[in-house]
Amino acid sequence: RSNNKMSYPLDVLAADDDASVVLGLAASNPHFSAPSALPTILCCLCGIPIRSNAANQCGPCLANQYDLSEHLRVGAGGGDLSVTKCKRCGRWEGSGRNARFQYHEPEGSGLLGLCLRRIPALAGGGPSDLGIKLTDAGFVWTEPHCMRLKVRLDVVATVAGGSTPVAQRVISEFIVRTR
């Protein structure tokens, strides 16, 4: 007998036609895929097979049930989303303690950041406990003389007890007020 052990592939399947038994450990074989801990079930609304989650619903059904736009289109105090612009110099009023007027390029990153800070649901101060997180944002083109700014928001929220993520794209509209 020698100390050399022969290595056999650990994903050898039993020859039984009714059921296959995997011999070996997942840690020692990179080709072995352990069965998922979550069972596959049918969505309770549309009936397609999904991995089990707290809501027992697929992503599109969850997205239809939870409308994140109602949380992202409301400003502080339940009013409209708005930003303030100086008529004379064209600068925008900042937010927070240092609410100074600052110059921002039209549809620039500074103006986008100013708009995003005005949405309470993104700052965690909104009325919902959905845990809304921003994944992408950008401006939607509007007429230059229009007193509106439209911002496209791609957000992810955790619903159904915090275990199921829902992704949606929402357009938020800001009213440009002058001072």
Side-chain angles (χ1 to χ4, degrees):
R1 267 186 138 146
S2 68
N3 276 343
N4 294 345
K5 291 185 178 179
M6 302 219 26
S7 83
Y8 293 99
L10 296 177
D11 57 351
V12 177
L13 298 178
D16 188 16
D17 289 337
D18 295 335
S20 298
V21 178
V22 178
L23 304 174
L25 300 173
S28 62
N29 187 355
H31 301 291
F32 179 78
S33 61
S36 173
L38 299 175
T40 301
I41 62 168
L42 297 178
C43 174
C44 65
L45 296 178
C46 66
I48 65 168
I50 59 168
R51 285 211 168 121
S52 177
N53 58 35
N56 292 333
Q57 295 178 8
C58 64
C61 290
L62 275 172
N64 287 337
Q65 185 178 0
Y66 290 96
D67 185 21
L68 300 178
S69 64
E70 65 188 28
H71 301 289
L72 296 169
R73 292 183 179 156
V74 178
D80 291 330
L81 294 170
S82 65
V83 290
T84 305
K85 182 178 181 180
C86 178
K87 276 186 192 179
R88 286 190 233 153
C89 64
R91 291 189 276 178
W92 300 88
E93 184 178 21
S95 58
R97 273 194 269 155
N98 299 333
R100 300 179 310 202
F101 281 82
Q102 301 170 346
Y103 179 75
H104 297 292
E105 289 287 328
E107 297 188 6
S109 61
L111 185 57
L112 182 62
L114 177 71
C115 291
L116 293 177
R117 284 190 295 272
R118 301 286 173 124
I119 302 174
L122 292 179
S128 70
D129 59 347
L130 294 175
I132 298 174
K133 294 181 183 170
L134 181 69
T135 58
D136 192 23
F139 283 100
V140 176
W141 187 82
T142 57
E143 292 288 335
H145 63 278
C146 180
M147 298 300 283
R148 303 271 191 262
L149 293 174
K150 291 185 179 181
V151 178
R152 175 193 43 81
L153 306 169
D154 292 340
V155 294
V156 175
T158 53
V159 296
S163 64
T164 309
V166 173
Q168 288 184 2
R169 178 172 281 178
V170 177
I171 304 292
S172 292
E173 187 173 299
F174 291 83
I175 299 170
V176 178
R177 302 196 192 283
T178 57
R179 196 186 267 191

